[in-house]
Short mmCIF file of all heavy atoms in Angstrom, two decimals:
data_model
loop_
_atom_site.label_atom_id
_atom_site.label_comp_id
_atom_site.label_asym_id
_atom_site.label_seq_id
_atom_site.Cartn_x
_atom_site.Cartn_y
_atom_site.Cartn_z
N MET A 2 -5.37 -2.59 -10.56
CA MET A 2 -4.29 -3.46 -10.92
C MET A 2 -3.44 -3.69 -9.67
O MET A 2 -3.00 -2.75 -9.03
CB MET A 2 -3.44 -2.84 -12.01
CG MET A 2 -2.19 -3.63 -12.26
SD MET A 2 -0.89 -2.89 -13.29
CE MET A 2 -1.69 -1.78 -14.34
N PHE A 3 -3.24 -4.96 -9.31
CA PHE A 3 -2.45 -5.30 -8.14
C PHE A 3 -0.96 -5.15 -8.43
O PHE A 3 -0.49 -5.55 -9.48
CB PHE A 3 -2.74 -6.73 -7.68
CG PHE A 3 -4.12 -6.89 -7.13
CD1 PHE A 3 -5.13 -7.44 -7.91
CD2 PHE A 3 -4.42 -6.47 -5.86
CE1 PHE A 3 -6.41 -7.56 -7.41
CE2 PHE A 3 -5.70 -6.59 -5.35
CZ PHE A 3 -6.69 -7.13 -6.13
N ILE A 4 -0.23 -4.58 -7.49
CA ILE A 4 1.22 -4.47 -7.60
C ILE A 4 1.87 -5.53 -6.73
O ILE A 4 2.70 -6.30 -7.20
CB ILE A 4 1.69 -3.05 -7.20
CG1 ILE A 4 1.09 -2.03 -8.17
CG2 ILE A 4 3.22 -2.98 -7.18
CD1 ILE A 4 1.29 -0.60 -7.75
N ALA A 5 1.48 -5.60 -5.47
CA ALA A 5 2.01 -6.61 -4.54
C ALA A 5 1.07 -6.74 -3.36
O ALA A 5 0.36 -5.79 -3.01
CB ALA A 5 3.40 -6.23 -4.06
N SER A 6 1.08 -7.92 -2.73
CA SER A 6 0.27 -8.11 -1.55
C SER A 6 0.84 -9.23 -0.69
O SER A 6 1.65 -10.03 -1.16
CB SER A 6 -1.18 -8.45 -1.92
OG SER A 6 -1.25 -9.69 -2.57
N GLN A 7 0.41 -9.27 0.55
CA GLN A 7 0.77 -10.34 1.47
C GLN A 7 -0.48 -10.76 2.21
O GLN A 7 -1.20 -9.92 2.74
CB GLN A 7 1.80 -9.87 2.49
CG GLN A 7 2.03 -10.90 3.60
CD GLN A 7 2.93 -10.37 4.68
OE1 GLN A 7 4.06 -10.06 4.42
NE2 GLN A 7 2.40 -10.24 5.88
N ARG A 8 -0.76 -12.03 2.21
CA ARG A 8 -1.89 -12.55 2.97
C ARG A 8 -1.39 -13.77 3.71
O ARG A 8 -0.96 -14.74 3.10
CB ARG A 8 -3.04 -12.91 2.06
CG ARG A 8 -4.23 -13.45 2.83
CD ARG A 8 -5.45 -13.54 1.93
NE ARG A 8 -6.55 -14.14 2.62
CZ ARG A 8 -7.46 -13.48 3.31
NH1 ARG A 8 -7.38 -12.17 3.38
NH2 ARG A 8 -8.43 -14.09 3.92
N ASP A 9 -1.46 -13.73 5.03
CA ASP A 9 -0.99 -14.84 5.84
C ASP A 9 -2.06 -15.92 5.93
O ASP A 9 -3.25 -15.63 6.07
CB ASP A 9 -0.62 -14.37 7.24
CG ASP A 9 0.55 -13.41 7.20
OD1 ASP A 9 1.42 -13.59 6.34
OD2 ASP A 9 0.57 -12.48 8.01
N SER A 10 -1.64 -17.16 5.88
CA SER A 10 -2.60 -18.27 5.93
C SER A 10 -3.26 -18.40 7.29
O SER A 10 -4.38 -18.88 7.40
CB SER A 10 -1.91 -19.58 5.56
OG SER A 10 -0.87 -19.86 6.47
N ASP A 11 -2.59 -17.94 8.36
CA ASP A 11 -3.18 -18.09 9.69
C ASP A 11 -3.80 -16.80 10.22
O ASP A 11 -4.34 -16.76 11.31
CB ASP A 11 -2.13 -18.60 10.68
CG ASP A 11 -0.98 -17.62 10.88
OD1 ASP A 11 -0.99 -16.54 10.27
OD2 ASP A 11 -0.08 -17.96 11.66
N ASN A 12 -3.74 -15.72 9.44
CA ASN A 12 -4.32 -14.43 9.82
C ASN A 12 -3.82 -13.89 11.16
O ASN A 12 -4.51 -13.15 11.83
CB ASN A 12 -5.86 -14.50 9.86
CG ASN A 12 -6.46 -14.62 8.49
OD1 ASN A 12 -5.86 -14.19 7.51
ND2 ASN A 12 -7.61 -15.23 8.40
N SER A 13 -2.62 -14.26 11.57
CA SER A 13 -2.15 -13.84 12.88
C SER A 13 -1.15 -12.70 12.85
O SER A 13 -0.95 -12.04 13.87
CB SER A 13 -1.53 -15.03 13.61
OG SER A 13 -0.39 -15.47 12.91
N THR A 14 -0.52 -12.42 11.73
CA THR A 14 0.51 -11.40 11.72
C THR A 14 0.24 -10.27 10.75
O THR A 14 1.11 -9.49 10.45
CB THR A 14 1.88 -12.03 11.38
OG1 THR A 14 1.77 -12.71 10.12
CG2 THR A 14 2.32 -12.98 12.45
N GLY A 15 -0.96 -10.15 10.27
CA GLY A 15 -1.31 -9.03 9.41
C GLY A 15 -1.18 -9.32 7.94
O GLY A 15 -0.54 -10.28 7.52
N GLN A 16 -1.82 -8.49 7.18
CA GLN A 16 -1.78 -8.62 5.73
C GLN A 16 -1.85 -7.23 5.13
O GLN A 16 -2.27 -6.29 5.79
CB GLN A 16 -2.93 -9.49 5.23
CG GLN A 16 -4.17 -9.40 6.02
CD GLN A 16 -5.05 -10.64 5.90
OE1 GLN A 16 -4.63 -11.72 5.56
NE2 GLN A 16 -6.31 -10.43 6.18
N TRP A 17 -1.40 -7.11 3.89
CA TRP A 17 -1.42 -5.81 3.23
C TRP A 17 -1.58 -6.01 1.73
O TRP A 17 -1.37 -7.10 1.21
CB TRP A 17 -0.16 -5.00 3.54
CG TRP A 17 1.13 -5.71 3.26
CD1 TRP A 17 1.89 -6.40 4.16
CD2 TRP A 17 1.81 -5.80 2.01
NE1 TRP A 17 2.99 -6.92 3.55
CE2 TRP A 17 2.97 -6.57 2.22
CE3 TRP A 17 1.56 -5.33 0.74
CZ2 TRP A 17 3.88 -6.85 1.20
CZ3 TRP A 17 2.46 -5.62 -0.28
CH2 TRP A 17 3.61 -6.37 -0.03
N ILE A 18 -1.97 -4.93 1.05
CA ILE A 18 -2.12 -4.94 -0.40
C ILE A 18 -1.73 -3.58 -0.95
O ILE A 18 -2.02 -2.54 -0.34
CB ILE A 18 -3.57 -5.32 -0.80
CG1 ILE A 18 -3.67 -5.50 -2.30
CG2 ILE A 18 -4.58 -4.34 -0.26
CD1 ILE A 18 -4.97 -6.14 -2.75
N PHE A 19 -1.05 -3.58 -2.08
CA PHE A 19 -0.56 -2.38 -2.75
C PHE A 19 -1.06 -2.47 -4.18
O PHE A 19 -0.74 -3.42 -4.89
CB PHE A 19 0.97 -2.36 -2.67
CG PHE A 19 1.64 -1.10 -3.14
CD1 PHE A 19 1.13 0.15 -2.86
CD2 PHE A 19 2.83 -1.19 -3.84
CE1 PHE A 19 1.79 1.29 -3.28
CE2 PHE A 19 3.50 -0.06 -4.26
CZ PHE A 19 2.97 1.18 -3.97
N TYR A 20 -1.88 -1.51 -4.62
CA TYR A 20 -2.46 -1.62 -5.95
C TYR A 20 -2.76 -0.24 -6.55
O TYR A 20 -2.66 0.78 -5.88
CB TYR A 20 -3.74 -2.46 -5.92
CG TYR A 20 -4.86 -1.94 -5.05
CD1 TYR A 20 -5.93 -1.27 -5.61
CD2 TYR A 20 -4.86 -2.15 -3.68
CE1 TYR A 20 -6.97 -0.80 -4.82
CE2 TYR A 20 -5.90 -1.70 -2.89
CZ TYR A 20 -6.95 -1.03 -3.47
OH TYR A 20 -7.98 -0.57 -2.69
N LEU A 21 -3.11 -0.24 -7.83
CA LEU A 21 -3.45 0.97 -8.56
C LEU A 21 -4.96 0.97 -8.77
O LEU A 21 -5.54 -0.02 -9.21
CB LEU A 21 -2.72 0.96 -9.90
CG LEU A 21 -2.80 2.21 -10.76
CD1 LEU A 21 -2.16 3.38 -10.04
CD2 LEU A 21 -2.09 1.96 -12.08
N ASP A 22 -5.61 2.10 -8.44
CA ASP A 22 -7.06 2.21 -8.58
C ASP A 22 -7.40 3.59 -9.14
O ASP A 22 -7.17 4.60 -8.48
CB ASP A 22 -7.74 1.99 -7.23
CG ASP A 22 -9.26 2.02 -7.32
OD1 ASP A 22 -9.81 1.58 -8.35
OD2 ASP A 22 -9.89 2.47 -6.36
N HIS A 23 -7.92 3.64 -10.35
CA HIS A 23 -8.31 4.89 -11.00
C HIS A 23 -7.18 5.92 -10.99
O HIS A 23 -7.41 7.09 -10.65
CB HIS A 23 -9.58 5.45 -10.38
CG HIS A 23 -10.77 4.59 -10.60
ND1 HIS A 23 -11.18 3.65 -9.66
CD2 HIS A 23 -11.62 4.48 -11.64
CE1 HIS A 23 -12.24 3.03 -10.13
NE2 HIS A 23 -12.52 3.50 -11.33
N GLY A 24 -5.97 5.48 -11.32
CA GLY A 24 -4.84 6.40 -11.43
C GLY A 24 -4.18 6.79 -10.13
O GLY A 24 -3.33 7.66 -10.10
N ARG A 25 -4.54 6.15 -9.03
CA ARG A 25 -3.93 6.43 -7.73
C ARG A 25 -3.39 5.15 -7.13
O ARG A 25 -4.02 4.09 -7.24
CB ARG A 25 -4.93 7.05 -6.76
CG ARG A 25 -5.43 8.40 -7.18
CD ARG A 25 -6.30 9.00 -6.09
NE ARG A 25 -6.86 10.26 -6.51
CZ ARG A 25 -6.24 11.43 -6.42
NH1 ARG A 25 -5.04 11.49 -5.91
NH2 ARG A 25 -6.82 12.53 -6.81
N LEU A 26 -2.26 5.25 -6.46
CA LEU A 26 -1.73 4.13 -5.70
C LEU A 26 -2.53 4.01 -4.41
O LEU A 26 -2.85 5.01 -3.78
CB LEU A 26 -0.26 4.35 -5.34
CG LEU A 26 0.71 4.39 -6.49
CD1 LEU A 26 2.08 4.85 -5.97
CD2 LEU A 26 0.81 3.04 -7.15
N VAL A 27 -2.84 2.79 -4.04
CA VAL A 27 -3.56 2.54 -2.79
C VAL A 27 -2.78 1.50 -2.00
O VAL A 27 -2.36 0.49 -2.56
CB VAL A 27 -4.99 2.03 -3.03
CG1 VAL A 27 -5.71 1.77 -1.72
CG2 VAL A 27 -5.78 3.00 -3.89
N PHE A 28 -2.56 1.77 -0.73
CA PHE A 28 -1.92 0.80 0.15
C PHE A 28 -2.84 0.61 1.34
O PHE A 28 -3.25 1.57 1.99
CB PHE A 28 -0.55 1.29 0.63
CG PHE A 28 0.16 0.26 1.45
CD1 PHE A 28 0.90 -0.73 0.82
CD2 PHE A 28 0.07 0.25 2.81
CE1 PHE A 28 1.55 -1.70 1.57
CE2 PHE A 28 0.71 -0.72 3.57
CZ PHE A 28 1.45 -1.69 2.94
N SER A 29 -3.18 -0.64 1.62
CA SER A 29 -4.07 -0.96 2.72
C SER A 29 -3.44 -2.03 3.59
O SER A 29 -2.96 -3.04 3.09
CB SER A 29 -5.41 -1.46 2.17
OG SER A 29 -6.29 -1.77 3.21
N ALA A 30 -3.42 -1.79 4.90
CA ALA A 30 -2.86 -2.75 5.85
C ALA A 30 -3.96 -3.20 6.81
O ALA A 30 -4.78 -2.41 7.23
CB ALA A 30 -1.72 -2.10 6.65
N GLU A 31 -3.94 -4.48 7.13
CA GLU A 31 -4.93 -5.04 8.04
C GLU A 31 -4.20 -5.84 9.10
O GLU A 31 -3.29 -6.60 8.79
CB GLU A 31 -5.88 -5.94 7.27
CG GLU A 31 -6.99 -6.51 8.12
CD GLU A 31 -7.94 -7.35 7.29
OE1 GLU A 31 -8.50 -6.83 6.31
OE2 GLU A 31 -8.10 -8.53 7.62
N ASN A 32 -4.59 -5.69 10.34
CA ASN A 32 -3.91 -6.35 11.45
C ASN A 32 -4.53 -7.71 11.74
O ASN A 32 -5.65 -7.79 12.24
CB ASN A 32 -3.97 -5.47 12.69
CG ASN A 32 -3.17 -6.03 13.83
OD1 ASN A 32 -2.30 -6.87 13.64
ND2 ASN A 32 -3.44 -5.59 15.03
N GLY A 33 -3.83 -8.75 11.43
CA GLY A 33 -4.23 -10.10 11.82
C GLY A 33 -5.59 -10.54 11.34
O GLY A 33 -6.24 -11.34 11.98
N GLY A 34 -6.04 -10.05 10.19
CA GLY A 34 -7.31 -10.47 9.65
C GLY A 34 -8.51 -9.98 10.42
O GLY A 34 -9.62 -10.43 10.21
N GLN A 35 -8.31 -9.00 11.31
CA GLN A 35 -9.41 -8.53 12.16
C GLN A 35 -10.17 -7.35 11.55
O GLN A 35 -11.12 -6.87 12.14
CB GLN A 35 -8.87 -8.13 13.54
CG GLN A 35 -8.15 -9.24 14.24
CD GLN A 35 -9.03 -10.47 14.41
OE1 GLN A 35 -10.16 -10.37 14.85
NE2 GLN A 35 -8.51 -11.64 14.05
N GLY A 36 -9.74 -6.89 10.38
CA GLY A 36 -10.46 -5.80 9.73
C GLY A 36 -10.06 -4.42 10.20
O GLY A 36 -10.55 -3.43 9.70
N ASN A 37 -9.17 -4.32 11.19
CA ASN A 37 -8.71 -3.01 11.63
C ASN A 37 -7.33 -2.76 11.05
O ASN A 37 -6.51 -3.63 10.98
CB ASN A 37 -8.70 -2.89 13.16
CG ASN A 37 -7.93 -4.02 13.82
OD1 ASN A 37 -7.52 -4.97 13.17
ND2 ASN A 37 -7.75 -3.91 15.10
N GLY A 38 -7.09 -1.59 10.60
CA GLY A 38 -5.83 -1.26 9.96
C GLY A 38 -5.91 0.15 9.42
O GLY A 38 -6.50 1.01 10.05
N GLY A 39 -5.38 0.37 8.26
CA GLY A 39 -5.43 1.69 7.66
C GLY A 39 -5.27 1.61 6.16
O GLY A 39 -4.86 0.59 5.63
N GLU A 40 -5.64 2.70 5.50
CA GLU A 40 -5.50 2.76 4.04
C GLU A 40 -5.05 4.15 3.66
O GLU A 40 -5.50 5.13 4.25
CB GLU A 40 -6.84 2.43 3.37
CG GLU A 40 -6.74 2.45 1.86
CD GLU A 40 -8.00 1.92 1.20
OE1 GLU A 40 -8.28 0.72 1.36
OE2 GLU A 40 -8.69 2.72 0.56
N GLY A 41 -4.17 4.22 2.68
CA GLY A 41 -3.68 5.50 2.18
C GLY A 41 -3.68 5.53 0.67
O GLY A 41 -3.56 4.49 0.03
N ASN A 42 -3.83 6.72 0.10
CA ASN A 42 -3.84 6.92 -1.34
C ASN A 42 -2.79 7.94 -1.74
O ASN A 42 -2.52 8.88 -1.01
CB ASN A 42 -5.20 7.45 -1.80
CG ASN A 42 -6.32 6.48 -1.51
OD1 ASN A 42 -6.37 5.41 -2.09
ND2 ASN A 42 -7.19 6.85 -0.61
N SER A 43 -2.25 7.77 -2.93
CA SER A 43 -1.27 8.71 -3.46
C SER A 43 -1.95 9.80 -4.27
O SER A 43 -3.16 9.77 -4.50
CB SER A 43 -0.28 7.97 -4.37
OG SER A 43 -0.89 7.66 -5.62
N ASN A 44 -1.14 10.72 -4.74
CA ASN A 44 -1.60 11.67 -5.74
C ASN A 44 -1.82 10.91 -7.04
O ASN A 44 -1.32 9.79 -7.21
CB ASN A 44 -0.55 12.76 -5.96
CG ASN A 44 -0.39 13.63 -4.73
OD1 ASN A 44 -1.35 14.09 -4.15
ND2 ASN A 44 0.85 13.83 -4.32
N SER A 45 -2.52 11.49 -7.99
CA SER A 45 -2.80 10.82 -9.26
C SER A 45 -1.52 10.60 -10.06
O SER A 45 -0.66 11.47 -10.13
CB SER A 45 -3.77 11.64 -10.09
OG SER A 45 -4.01 11.00 -11.32
N ILE A 46 -1.43 9.41 -10.65
CA ILE A 46 -0.30 9.12 -11.54
C ILE A 46 -0.81 8.74 -12.92
O ILE A 46 -0.09 8.16 -13.72
CB ILE A 46 0.62 8.00 -10.97
CG1 ILE A 46 -0.16 6.70 -10.78
CG2 ILE A 46 1.28 8.46 -9.69
CD1 ILE A 46 0.74 5.53 -10.41
N ALA A 47 -2.03 9.11 -13.24
CA ALA A 47 -2.63 8.79 -14.54
C ALA A 47 -2.21 9.84 -15.56
O ALA A 47 -3.01 10.64 -16.04
CB ALA A 47 -4.15 8.73 -14.41
N ASP A 48 -0.90 9.85 -15.89
CA ASP A 48 -0.40 10.85 -16.82
C ASP A 48 0.26 10.23 -18.05
O ASP A 48 0.88 10.92 -18.84
CB ASP A 48 0.58 11.78 -16.11
CG ASP A 48 1.77 11.05 -15.50
OD1 ASP A 48 1.96 9.84 -15.76
OD2 ASP A 48 2.52 11.70 -14.76
N GLY A 49 0.16 8.91 -18.21
CA GLY A 49 0.72 8.25 -19.38
C GLY A 49 2.21 7.97 -19.29
O GLY A 49 2.80 7.46 -20.25
N ASN A 50 2.85 8.28 -18.17
CA ASN A 50 4.29 8.06 -17.99
C ASN A 50 4.54 6.86 -17.09
O ASN A 50 3.69 6.48 -16.29
CB ASN A 50 4.95 9.30 -17.37
CG ASN A 50 4.88 10.49 -18.28
OD1 ASN A 50 5.19 10.41 -19.46
ND2 ASN A 50 4.45 11.62 -17.74
N TRP A 51 5.74 6.30 -17.19
CA TRP A 51 6.17 5.25 -16.28
C TRP A 51 6.54 5.89 -14.95
O TRP A 51 7.06 7.01 -14.91
CB TRP A 51 7.39 4.51 -16.82
CG TRP A 51 7.07 3.57 -17.93
CD1 TRP A 51 7.06 3.86 -19.26
CD2 TRP A 51 6.72 2.19 -17.81
NE1 TRP A 51 6.71 2.75 -19.97
CE2 TRP A 51 6.50 1.70 -19.11
CE3 TRP A 51 6.56 1.33 -16.73
CZ2 TRP A 51 6.14 0.39 -19.35
CZ3 TRP A 51 6.20 0.03 -16.98
CH2 TRP A 51 5.99 -0.43 -18.27
N HIS A 52 6.27 5.17 -13.85
CA HIS A 52 6.62 5.67 -12.52
C HIS A 52 7.23 4.55 -11.70
O HIS A 52 6.89 3.38 -11.87
CB HIS A 52 5.38 6.20 -11.78
CG HIS A 52 4.79 7.41 -12.41
ND1 HIS A 52 5.29 8.67 -12.17
CD2 HIS A 52 3.76 7.56 -13.28
CE1 HIS A 52 4.59 9.54 -12.86
NE2 HIS A 52 3.65 8.89 -13.54
N HIS A 53 8.13 4.92 -10.80
CA HIS A 53 8.71 3.99 -9.86
C HIS A 53 7.91 4.08 -8.57
O HIS A 53 7.69 5.18 -8.04
CB HIS A 53 10.18 4.35 -9.59
CG HIS A 53 10.84 3.43 -8.63
ND1 HIS A 53 11.01 3.75 -7.31
CD2 HIS A 53 11.37 2.20 -8.80
CE1 HIS A 53 11.61 2.75 -6.70
NE2 HIS A 53 11.84 1.80 -7.57
N VAL A 54 7.41 2.94 -8.07
CA VAL A 54 6.62 2.94 -6.84
C VAL A 54 7.24 1.98 -5.84
O VAL A 54 7.92 1.02 -6.22
CB VAL A 54 5.15 2.55 -7.10
CG1 VAL A 54 4.49 3.56 -8.02
CG2 VAL A 54 5.02 1.15 -7.66
N GLY A 55 7.02 2.22 -4.57
CA GLY A 55 7.56 1.34 -3.53
C GLY A 55 6.88 1.58 -2.20
O GLY A 55 6.18 2.57 -2.02
N VAL A 56 7.11 0.64 -1.28
CA VAL A 56 6.57 0.73 0.07
C VAL A 56 7.66 0.32 1.05
O VAL A 56 8.38 -0.65 0.80
CB VAL A 56 5.34 -0.20 0.26
CG1 VAL A 56 4.87 -0.18 1.71
CG2 VAL A 56 4.22 0.16 -0.66
N SER A 57 7.77 1.04 2.16
CA SER A 57 8.68 0.63 3.22
C SER A 57 7.86 0.48 4.50
O SER A 57 6.81 1.09 4.66
CB SER A 57 9.80 1.65 3.42
OG SER A 57 9.29 2.86 3.91
N GLN A 58 8.38 -0.36 5.41
CA GLN A 58 7.70 -0.60 6.69
C GLN A 58 8.66 -0.32 7.83
O GLN A 58 9.82 -0.70 7.80
CB GLN A 58 7.23 -2.05 6.78
CG GLN A 58 6.59 -2.37 8.12
CD GLN A 58 6.23 -3.85 8.26
OE1 GLN A 58 6.58 -4.67 7.42
NE2 GLN A 58 5.54 -4.18 9.33
N SER A 59 8.15 0.35 8.85
CA SER A 59 8.89 0.57 10.08
C SER A 59 7.90 0.35 11.22
O SER A 59 7.04 1.19 11.48
CB SER A 59 9.46 1.99 10.14
OG SER A 59 10.12 2.20 11.37
N GLY A 60 7.99 -0.82 11.85
CA GLY A 60 7.02 -1.17 12.89
C GLY A 60 5.63 -1.29 12.30
O GLY A 60 5.42 -2.04 11.36
N ASN A 61 4.69 -0.51 12.82
CA ASN A 61 3.32 -0.52 12.32
C ASN A 61 3.05 0.57 11.29
O ASN A 61 1.91 0.81 10.92
CB ASN A 61 2.33 -0.36 13.47
CG ASN A 61 2.27 -1.58 14.34
OD1 ASN A 61 2.69 -2.66 13.95
ND2 ASN A 61 1.75 -1.42 15.55
N PHE A 62 4.10 1.26 10.85
CA PHE A 62 3.94 2.34 9.88
C PHE A 62 4.45 1.92 8.51
O PHE A 62 5.54 1.37 8.39
CB PHE A 62 4.71 3.58 10.35
CG PHE A 62 4.22 4.12 11.66
CD1 PHE A 62 4.87 3.77 12.84
CD2 PHE A 62 3.12 4.94 11.72
CE1 PHE A 62 4.43 4.25 14.05
CE2 PHE A 62 2.66 5.43 12.94
CZ PHE A 62 3.32 5.08 14.11
N TYR A 63 3.65 2.18 7.50
CA TYR A 63 4.02 1.92 6.11
C TYR A 63 4.05 3.26 5.37
O TYR A 63 3.14 4.07 5.53
CB TYR A 63 2.99 1.01 5.42
CG TYR A 63 2.89 -0.36 6.02
CD1 TYR A 63 2.08 -0.60 7.13
CD2 TYR A 63 3.59 -1.43 5.48
CE1 TYR A 63 1.98 -1.87 7.67
CE2 TYR A 63 3.50 -2.70 6.01
CZ TYR A 63 2.68 -2.91 7.11
OH TYR A 63 2.58 -4.16 7.64
N THR A 64 5.08 3.48 4.59
CA THR A 64 5.18 4.68 3.77
C THR A 64 5.29 4.24 2.33
O THR A 64 6.07 3.35 2.01
CB THR A 64 6.43 5.50 4.14
OG1 THR A 64 6.36 5.85 5.53
CG2 THR A 64 6.52 6.77 3.31
N PHE A 65 4.46 4.82 1.46
CA PHE A 65 4.63 4.48 0.06
C PHE A 65 5.22 5.64 -0.70
O PHE A 65 5.10 6.80 -0.31
CB PHE A 65 3.37 3.88 -0.58
CG PHE A 65 2.11 4.68 -0.48
CD1 PHE A 65 1.72 5.50 -1.51
CD2 PHE A 65 1.29 4.57 0.61
CE1 PHE A 65 0.54 6.20 -1.45
CE2 PHE A 65 0.10 5.26 0.69
CZ PHE A 65 -0.27 6.08 -0.35
N TYR A 66 5.95 5.29 -1.77
CA TYR A 66 6.77 6.24 -2.51
C TYR A 66 6.37 6.26 -3.97
O TYR A 66 6.05 5.23 -4.56
CB TYR A 66 8.25 5.85 -2.41
CG TYR A 66 8.77 5.90 -1.00
CD1 TYR A 66 8.62 4.80 -0.15
CD2 TYR A 66 9.38 7.03 -0.51
CE1 TYR A 66 9.09 4.84 1.16
CE2 TYR A 66 9.85 7.08 0.79
CZ TYR A 66 9.70 5.99 1.62
OH TYR A 66 10.15 6.03 2.90
N LEU A 67 6.43 7.44 -4.54
CA LEU A 67 6.19 7.65 -5.96
C LEU A 67 7.38 8.38 -6.53
O LEU A 67 7.69 9.49 -6.09
CB LEU A 67 4.90 8.46 -6.15
CG LEU A 67 4.53 8.85 -7.56
CD1 LEU A 67 4.33 7.61 -8.43
CD2 LEU A 67 3.27 9.70 -7.56
N ASP A 68 8.08 7.73 -7.43
CA ASP A 68 9.29 8.30 -8.05
C ASP A 68 10.31 8.75 -7.01
O ASP A 68 10.92 9.79 -7.11
CB ASP A 68 8.92 9.46 -8.99
CG ASP A 68 8.09 8.98 -10.16
OD1 ASP A 68 8.32 7.85 -10.64
OD2 ASP A 68 7.19 9.73 -10.60
N GLY A 69 10.47 7.94 -5.95
CA GLY A 69 11.49 8.18 -4.93
C GLY A 69 11.11 9.16 -3.84
O GLY A 69 11.90 9.45 -2.95
N VAL A 70 9.88 9.69 -3.89
CA VAL A 70 9.45 10.68 -2.91
C VAL A 70 8.29 10.10 -2.10
O VAL A 70 7.34 9.54 -2.67
CB VAL A 70 8.99 11.99 -3.60
CG1 VAL A 70 8.47 13.00 -2.60
CG2 VAL A 70 10.13 12.57 -4.43
N ALA A 71 8.34 10.22 -0.77
CA ALA A 71 7.26 9.74 0.08
C ALA A 71 5.95 10.40 -0.34
O ALA A 71 5.89 11.61 -0.54
CB ALA A 71 7.54 10.05 1.55
N ASP A 72 4.91 9.58 -0.51
CA ASP A 72 3.65 10.11 -1.05
C ASP A 72 2.44 9.59 -0.28
O ASP A 72 1.33 9.60 -0.78
CB ASP A 72 3.53 9.73 -2.54
CG ASP A 72 2.48 10.56 -3.25
OD1 ASP A 72 2.40 11.78 -3.00
OD2 ASP A 72 1.72 9.98 -4.05
N GLY A 73 2.63 9.11 0.93
CA GLY A 73 1.51 8.66 1.75
C GLY A 73 1.98 7.72 2.83
O GLY A 73 3.02 7.08 2.69
N THR A 74 1.24 7.65 3.92
CA THR A 74 1.55 6.73 5.00
C THR A 74 0.29 6.02 5.47
O THR A 74 -0.82 6.53 5.32
CB THR A 74 2.18 7.45 6.22
OG1 THR A 74 1.26 8.43 6.68
CG2 THR A 74 3.49 8.11 5.86
N VAL A 75 0.50 4.85 6.03
CA VAL A 75 -0.57 4.05 6.58
C VAL A 75 -0.10 3.51 7.92
O VAL A 75 1.04 3.07 8.05
CB VAL A 75 -0.94 2.85 5.67
CG1 VAL A 75 -1.96 1.95 6.31
CG2 VAL A 75 -1.43 3.36 4.32
N THR A 76 -0.96 3.53 8.93
CA THR A 76 -0.65 2.95 10.23
C THR A 76 -1.49 1.71 10.41
O THR A 76 -2.72 1.76 10.30
CB THR A 76 -0.95 3.93 11.37
OG1 THR A 76 -0.19 5.13 11.16
CG2 THR A 76 -0.59 3.33 12.71
N GLN A 77 -0.83 0.60 10.70
CA GLN A 77 -1.52 -0.66 10.97
C GLN A 77 -1.74 -0.76 12.47
O GLN A 77 -0.79 -0.71 13.23
CB GLN A 77 -0.70 -1.83 10.46
CG GLN A 77 -1.33 -3.18 10.68
CD GLN A 77 -0.43 -4.28 10.17
OE1 GLN A 77 0.72 -4.07 9.84
NE2 GLN A 77 -0.95 -5.48 10.13
N VAL A 78 -2.98 -0.84 12.92
CA VAL A 78 -3.28 -0.88 14.35
C VAL A 78 -3.63 -2.25 14.82
O VAL A 78 -3.90 -3.13 14.06
CB VAL A 78 -4.41 0.10 14.72
CG1 VAL A 78 -3.96 1.52 14.51
CG2 VAL A 78 -5.66 -0.18 13.92
#
């Protein structure tokens, strides 16, 4: 299930996707459509409860959060 994503029409400034896969959050970043980037996964959230999720960016580093606590990082190269 997709949560949020960004895809640039010119593939020059990078793209990313944030989604749920088999009970885990997945965040994947790609640099300029070149296929190089990084991917990170969270701990399982398949527990039947609602959760607050988010992603922050600082330069080439992305941190994703589960219920307000950092739960993974991705480096976009």
Side-chain angles (χ1 to χ4, degrees):
M2 172 192 334
F3 292 101
I4 297 171
S6 66
Q7 171 187 297
R8 180 169 176 91
D9 295 326
S10 61
D11 64 1
N12 289 334
S13 64
T14 57
Q16 33 204 22
W17 54 264
I18 186 168
F19 188 40
Y20 61 100
L21 188 62
D22 183 33
H23 294 95
R25 295 186 184 276
L26 294 171
V27 180
F28 185 84
S29 180
E31 183 177 303
N32 186 19
Q35 303 303 312
N37 52 353
E40 182 172 293
N42 298 293
S43 75
N44 294 312
S45 178
I46 60 172
D48 59 9
N50 295 312
W51 285 90
H52 293 278
H53 180 260
V54 298
V56 175
S57 67
Q58 177 185 7
S59 178
N61 289 343
F62 299 97
Y63 297 84
T64 302
F65 55 96
Y66 297 86
L67 176 61
D68 296 325
V70 177
D72 196 42
T74 59
V75 174
T76 302
Q77 180 181 11
V78 293

